[in-house]
Amino acid sequence: MSRKKGRMLEVDGLSVSYGGVAALDGVSLRIPDNSITAVLGPNGAGKSTLIRAIAGLVRPRAGTVSYGRRLLTGMSPEAIVRLGISMVPEGGGIIRELTVDENLRLAHLWRRDRADLRKALDEVMALFPPLAARRHLPANSLSGGERQMLAVGRALMSRAELLLLDEPSLGLAPRIVSLIMRTIHELRGQRGLSVLLVEQNARSALAIADEALLLSSGRTVASRRAGELAHEEELWHAYLGY
Amino acid sequence: MNYFLVLTLTGLAAGMIYAALALALVLVWRATRVVNFAQGAMAMATTYIALAVFQLTGNYWFGFVAALAAGFVIGAVAERGIVRWVENGPPLNAVILTLGLLLILEAVVPMIWGAQIRSFPAPFSIAAMQVGGVFIPVSPFNIFTIGVVLLVMVALLVLFRFTGLGLSMRAAAFAPEIARLLGVRVGRLLTFGWGLATVAGALAGLLVAPTLLLYPNNMDAILVYGFTAAVLGGLDSPIGALVGGLAMGLALSFIGGYLGPDLETAGALAILIAILMVRPQGLFVHAAERRV
Ligand SMILES: Nc1ncnc2c1ncn2[C@@H]1O[C@H](COP(=O)(O)OP(=O)(O)O)[C@@H](O)[C@H]1O
Ligand SMILES: [Mg+2]
């Protein structure tokens, strides 16, 4: 696989407000190539806002996002995905009216490469075998776990180098959560992907992350090696409330 | 021939025209969630363009193609230049805007071409046929009408079901934000969708004019019939537009034939009101297929 090595995502002093109310206030972070960064925080901390601002869905009030040498701030989502950044929104964002196959193809269309389309489809089916059996069914008919597999698989269809995942474990059974987490970890290891992993499930996320960021009320509370934060249970318990 | 059969056949031919206009409204609705009340006036304008090209070249088909091409351009320009600015505002803004466009077109066209009623050519005879001495209340032009609208329907079905462009258009209609995250250039597709819709509208205009003649508001009633057909079909579904159009064609033909032609417009309004009261989501769309 041809990869441009060493692209880093840099978020610098990012602030977002919705109608004057600050949702994100001066957050900075770096995701080096081939690493997993977990972003933890309670409901309403601004995690989704952070991920949506990086993906180009919301315009920041201040601050910048850059990837490699490119400034992403002000770019459209459809342009950002073309740079190799794929986002999986909260809940997966699968298009229920389309089939599993159509959901997957859609993410590859902009590449205009039919030979690679087949390869990419085969890779996703190999990664998530349950999808292969449901390939021509409406995405609507999938179970919660299968939907999340489809969402992650679809993000991979674009041949992204950086995945932005918004709470992929939300509402899933523990067995599925560990499958998804294991897959994310393997993707980092085998395909050299980088991942921004937003989670409320701190234990699962910290187990596979390299770096971790704890957000609360739109601000960074802690930024550490994931292994260190994993031992500061009282810290994340205080913020995550369990 | 049996009067009922006569009404049925003429109803189906008229229904195909309503279906074409309903299709235009459906394509616009799917793309931008706007009901384009100017769709009929746009079709009227493109039919005047067809007439001008026909008079210039003497060839019906040059006018035909010119109308469809002009339809694409007018639709695309209307979306990009006008509708784009209110798409994210309250729905009423877009409605007022398309009504404004309707008034502008119906004012500007007579300034260019005059307001008098004009006859419009047909590529095939509009007189009823006789086969083996038996009178058949269908003209060759009716058959052309049915064939060309079916052809457009099938072409759209193929586009939506079997092409990447069609997949992108469906995704953009169902989930625009997700589609953008997957690299779909949704903005361009909305423009394209309006262009395509206005081609279907232009076709309706071309099919109406030979029998109902051409004048600046010759499509007003057709817009009401087409809109009713589109609502009947669920507003979201091209197949629904076809079925709705045919149902409208038959209903109006029977109302006109048995109760008197003066009651056709009133009948259409009665049907529209009845649908909106009983099943505002349309007759052919399952709840689960609707966008979230
Ligand atoms: N579209 C929106 N409009 C207004 N406020 C919003 C919107 N999205 C999020 N917010 C607010 O911004 C804050 C951060 O939300 P979000 O980023 O969704 O947090 P998280 O993903 O960490 O739960 C919350 O207070 C939320 O209510
Ligand atoms: Mg969230």
Side-chain angles (χ1 to χ4, degrees), chain A residues 36-104:
Chain A
I36 300 178
T37 298
V39 174
L40 312 175
N43 245 331
K47 307 183 295 298
S48 294
T49 301
L50 171 64
I51 222 168
R52 291 169 65 82
I54 296 170
L57 286 175
V58 295
R59 295 251 171 278
R61 184 171 55 74
T64 58
V65 179
S66 61
Y67 186 53
R69 300 261 168 277
R70 298 288 294 269
L71 189 66
L72 303 190
T73 325
M75 281 175 74
S76 66
E78 54 268 42
I80 289 172
V81 73
R82 282 170 170 74
L83 297 178
I85 301 177
S86 259
M87 169 186 161
V88 176
E90 208 169 296
I94 64 161
I95 304 182
R96 300 179 314 160
E97 292 89 344
L98 303 181
T99 65
V100 170
D101 191 64
E102 286 171 335
N103 266 280
L104 293 172

Side-chain angles (χ1 to χ4, degrees), chain B residues 17-35:
Chain B
I17 298 176
Y18 309 153
L21 198 76
L23 184 64
L25 294 168
V26 163
L27 291 175
V28 161
W29 175 261
R30 277 169 67 108
T32 51
R33 302 281 136 181
V34 171
V35 174

Side-chain angles (χ1 to χ4, degrees), chain B residues 32 34 77-88 94 97-98 101 194:
Chain B
T32 51
V34 171
V77 167
E79 194 282 325
R80 183 53 61 100
I82 307 172
V83 178
R84 178 67 53 102
W85 306 107
V86 295
E87 265 163 14
N88 295 322
L97 208 75
T98 66
L101 193 57
W194 269 72

Side-chain angles (χ1 to χ4, degrees), chain A residues 183-203:
Chain A
T183 307
I184 294 167
H185 192 237
E186 283 169 8
L187 287 170
R188 198 278 306 264
Q190 292 167 7
R191 300 199 195 178
L193 295 184
S194 303
V195 182
L196 176 70
L197 177 60
V198 159
E199 267 300 340
Q200 290 201 51
N201 189 336
R203 207 178 299 277

